[in-house]
Amino acid sequence: MKQLSLCIVLSFVFGLLGLNEIALADSTRRYGCIIDGTDREPTGDRNGRIILSLQYTCRVADGLLKDAGITGLSVSEWDSEKGRYLASIDVYRALDGIAVGQVLEGTGSSVTEDNRAVGIAASGKMVFKFASGSLAALSGGP
């Protein structure tokens, strides 16, 4: 299975600010996403530390996955402006293909402008655990 390094810039601090739209980008693809559900839970061990879970749907704008739809779930731990992704899984659907990607590791941090949070910069590694049809190349085989 191929590992995909990704570098994500989110247009808005989606779950942290309660917004419902995000945009993701890496060196080869652009995504337009909508947050379908979010949950914030304080960890209780120190102020400002939360567990954030998101459900989202996306549309890929370019690259191999152009026009593919994505549904996913992400769980991350945030301590103030720094985050660590604990689990994330995405299902990619394209014409005549399907793939399942899992984030292996990832970190994030808040992006601010004029002392206001406007996004999240994140990076990590993803592996496609399954891919078939037109998306088979993601896993290196049928």
Side-chain angles (χ1 to χ4, degrees):
M1 287 174 225
K2 290 183 183 175
Q3 285 188 3
L4 174 67
S5 293
L6 51 125
C7 191
I8 302 170
V9 178
L10 303 181
S11 293
F12 302 99
V13 183
F14 41 84
L16 298 176
L17 296 180
L19 300 177
N20 66 352
E21 293 188 19
I22 61 174
L24 309 176
D26 70 15
S27 61
T28 59
R29 287 183 288 282
R30 293 200 176 279
Y31 305 75
C33 302
I34 296 173
I35 301 299
D36 299 320
T38 183
D39 187 29
R40 295 171 47 149
E41 291 292 330
T43 61
D45 58 348
R46 61 181 179 259
N47 254 353
R49 188 169 171 206
I50 63 168
I51 299 295
L52 178 66
S53 61
L54 300 171
Q55 293 175 333
Y56 48 89
T57 57
C58 304
R59 178 73 52 199
V60 182
D62 54 20
L64 171 66
L65 299 173
K66 183 176 180 175
D67 295 327
I70 302 170
T71 56
L73 172 67
S74 174
V75 178
S76 54
E77 167 193 16
W78 287 86
D79 194 353
S80 187
E81 296 179 9
K82 301 286 183 194
R84 178 173 66 102
Y85 292 88
L86 304 173
S88 185
I89 193 154
D90 297 331
V91 177
Y92 293 74
R93 290 177 186 85
L95 186 60
D96 299 324
I98 190 166
V100 178
Q102 177 182 356
V103 171
L104 299 175
E105 60 185 63
T107 59
S109 62
S110 258
V111 175
T112 59
E113 288 180 7
D114 299 324
N115 293 327
R116 195 180 81 138
V118 294
I120 295 175
S123 63
K125 292 181 183 176
M126 173 179 269
V127 64
F128 285 91
K129 304 287 254 179
F130 175 85
S132 68
S134 62
L135 299 179
L138 293 174
S139 69

